[in-house]
């Protein structure tokens, strides 16, 4: 069965060394604050890959920083708190509630968030670090022997594969681990499986033209359905107009938002810098229910992102610097982050639950509805409505 699935893994490698030592309101929820940092990272990565498909999980970046925050002190801690806009004194109660909300059974669409810390055998982690992460992020702590780098990499990859239902088979290669120096690997995996509330009939999927970011025209499978969607017209502070379409998943707690420039000449990169959780919240007020025939590409995208440069650009620098990183709450042995990676994958297919009777009645109305065709580069956002958390975000230049 074709399903709509997203998967993402974030990995932070901690090394021990002998050396010692967009406009955003403050009222936003913790889910939104973490997402805003992730959206800023996404904007940087998208800027460096203007013609590529990019997919990231803003929430996952925030999760792993939240886990490291527990062990950070001094300036290292200050930099993480500032970038996330978290309150100084233990944001963990809020983060625990957020984790519970996102993974709640009430979602009906499956969101699985798995966190783990792999430490070198014999490496002593502070009890408070381990217990706080277990309580707030349901984080598992495991011991590995990093001196056997290929065995250690296999163990981490097997854990990731199990927690993303096999969709991300590898995140770490043995050459990323240093047999002598690696002390800690922190991993966050997020797996989302959603069914559209109103499904696309596979027989309506046809090959159609899509004008990619490089201006070339490609024939791609385009899904199609006649239904009622929330649609609106938004514009950036510079007056660049773009369409926003909301596609709810069947549990109605999570939806995908598609943003596509109104003018053929406008690049999708021109609207990205303007996106924040506040912008996304403003879309909900602009959109109205309309009956349309929606044509949307069927696509699968996978991307790996090195987070060190974009995080450093946002002021999180000390944790990567072996002379400045301060993780004394993890261990008395000096630690710094040597590698920060995120790997994400998304599949968008026809599958969903059957259209409800009420919708069907509307569909039988006689007027011929307008067509909305997403046949140029676009942005997508998968958002948990109640908390405003952005689980996934991507730019599609060529499906």
């Amino acid at each position: 069965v074709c399903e709509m699935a997203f998967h993402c893994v974030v990995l932070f490698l901690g090394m021990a060394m002998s050396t010692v030592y967009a406009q955003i309101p403050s009222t936003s929820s913790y889910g939104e604050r973490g997402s805003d940092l992730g959206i800023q990272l996404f904007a940087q990565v998208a800027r460096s890959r203007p013609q590529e498909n990019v997919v990231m999980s803003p929430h996952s970046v925030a999760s792993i920083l939240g886990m490291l925050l527990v062990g950070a002190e001094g300036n290292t801690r200050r930099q993480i708190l500032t970038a996330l806009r978290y309150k100084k004194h233990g944001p963990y109660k809020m983060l625990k509630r957020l984790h519970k909300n996102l993974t709640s059974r009430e979602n009906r669409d499956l969101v699985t968030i798995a966190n783990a810390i792999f430490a070198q055998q014999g490496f002593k982690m502070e009890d408070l670090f381990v217990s706080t992460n277990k309580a707030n992020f349901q984080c598992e702590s495991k011991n590995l022997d990093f001196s056997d780098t290929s065995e250690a990499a296999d163990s981490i990859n097997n854990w990731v594969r199990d927690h993303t239902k096999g969709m991300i088979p590898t995140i770490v290669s043995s050459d990323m681990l240093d047999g002598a120096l690696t002390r800690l690997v922190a991993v966050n995996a997020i797996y989302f499986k959603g069914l559209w509330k109103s499904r696309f009939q596979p027989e309506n999927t046809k090959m159609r033209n899509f004008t990619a970011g490089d201006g070339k025209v490609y024939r791609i499978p385009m899904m199609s359905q006649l239904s009622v969607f929330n649609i609106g017209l938004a514009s950036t502070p510079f007056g660049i107009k773009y369409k926003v379409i909301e596609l709810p998943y069947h549990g109605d707690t999570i939806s995908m938002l598609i943003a596509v420039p109104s003018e053929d000449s406008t690049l999708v990169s021109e609207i990205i810098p303007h996106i924040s959780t506040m912008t996304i919240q403003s879309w909900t007020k602009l959109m109205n229910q309309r009956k349309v025939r929606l044509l949307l590409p069927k696509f699968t995208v996978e991307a790996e992102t090195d987070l060190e440069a974009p995080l450093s650009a946002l002021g999180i620098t000390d944790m990567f610097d072996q002379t400045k990183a301060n993780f004394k709450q993890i261990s008395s042995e000096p630690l710094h982050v040597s590698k920060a990676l995120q790997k994400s994958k998304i599949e968008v297919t026809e599958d969903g639950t059957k259209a409800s009777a009420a919708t069907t009645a509307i569909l039988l109305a006689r007027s011929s509805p307008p067509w909305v065709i997403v046949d140029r580069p676009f942005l997508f956002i998968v958002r948990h409505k109640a908390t405003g958390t952005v689980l996934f975000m991507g730019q599609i230049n060529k499906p």
Side-chain angles (χ1 to χ4, degrees), residues 79-302:
Q79 288 179 351
I80 299 172
L81 280 172
T82 305
L84 286 166
R85 302 190 347 274
Y86 286 171
K87 294 208 166 61
K88 258 200 300 252
H89 301 294
Y92 308 118
K93 206 188 324 181
M94 303 299 279
L95 295 176
K96 182 179 184 176
R97 193 180 307 157
L98 175 63
H99 184 93
K100 209 169 151 189
N101 267 331
L102 294 175
T103 53
S104 147
R105 290 262 163 91
E106 286 166 23
N107 287 331
R108 277 173 64 191
D109 294 293
L110 183 74
V111 179
T112 307
I113 298 173
N115 297 304
I117 287 171
F118 298 90
Q120 170 62 23
Q121 269 166 2
F123 175 73
K124 177 81 179 85
M125 286 190 285
E126 294 290 340
D127 292 344
L128 188 64
F129 174 73
V130 175
S131 61
T132 306
N133 274 326
K134 185 169 174 39
N136 299 308
F137 298 100
Q138 277 73 61
C139 179
E140 301 174 28
S141 294
K142 297 173 179 294
N143 287 99
L144 290 180
D145 180 8
F146 289 119
S147 64
D148 183 344
T149 54
S150 65
E151 182 67 30
D154 286 348
S155 300
I156 294 168
N157 289 331
N158 289 342
W159 183 89
V160 165
R161 188 167 59 241
D162 290 348
H163 288 85
T164 58
K165 308 286 190 282
M167 293 307 289
I168 294 185
T170 60
I171 174 88
V172 63
S173 55
S174 58
D175 60 357
M176 285 181 196
L177 302 171
D178 183 315
L181 294 172
T182 302
R183 291 291 174 270
L184 197 76
V185 172
V187 182
N188 160 284
I190 178 168
Y191 172 84
F192 169 64
K193 182 167 142 186
L195 294 167
W196 298 124
K197 187 174 179 182
S198 176
R199 64 180 306 206
F200 292 86
Q201 298 298 342
E203 60 271 22
N204 290 341
T205 298
K206 303 266 190 308
M207 298 303 284
R208 291 180 185 272
N209 288 349
F210 184 96
T211 306
D214 58 9
K216 293 192 181 118
V217 177
Y218 296 89
R219 299 286 285 172
I220 61 150
M222 193 79 86
M223 310 184 296
S224 164
Q225 70 161 296
L226 177 62
S227 192
V228 174
F229 293 103
N230 253 337
I231 293 186
L233 190 65
S235 72
T236 71
F238 300 111
I240 296 168
K241 292 189 167 45
Y242 59 96
K243 255 196 260 11
V244 182
I245 307 141
E246 182 177 23
L247 287 85
Y249 292 105
H250 82 301
D252 247 347
T253 54
I254 296 170
S255 64
M256 178 185 272
L257 294 145
I258 304 271
V260 64
S262 300
E263 298 295 324
D264 291 0
S265 57
T266 305
L267 302 172
V268 75
S269 57
E270 293 176 65
I271 59 177
I272 293 173
H274 148 74
I275 309 287
S276 68
T277 55
M278 198 162 99
T279 315
I280 299 167
Q281 185 59 42
S282 75
W283 293 346
T284 55
K285 298 181 182 69
L286 296 169
M287 293 189 290
N288 294 303
Q289 295 246 309
R290 287 187 62 193
K291 184 175 85 161
V292 296
R293 174 161 291 283
L294 176 65
L295 280 76
L296 181 69
K298 180 175 174 170
F299 63 92
T300 297
V301 175
E302 199 167 359

Side-chain angles (χ1 to χ4, degrees), residues 20-21 71-73 126 325-333 335:
V20 181
Y21 201 66
E73 270 192 358
E126 294 290 340
N326 182 345
F327 288 110
K328 290 204 173 100
Q329 297 291 328
I330 299 181
S331 165
S332 54
E333 193 176 336
L335 281 172

Side-chain angles (χ1 to χ4, degrees), residues 37-48:
L37 176 70
I39 291 169
Q40 289 174 306
L41 282 188
F42 172 82
Q44 290 199 39
V45 174
R47 194 163 54 233
S48 67

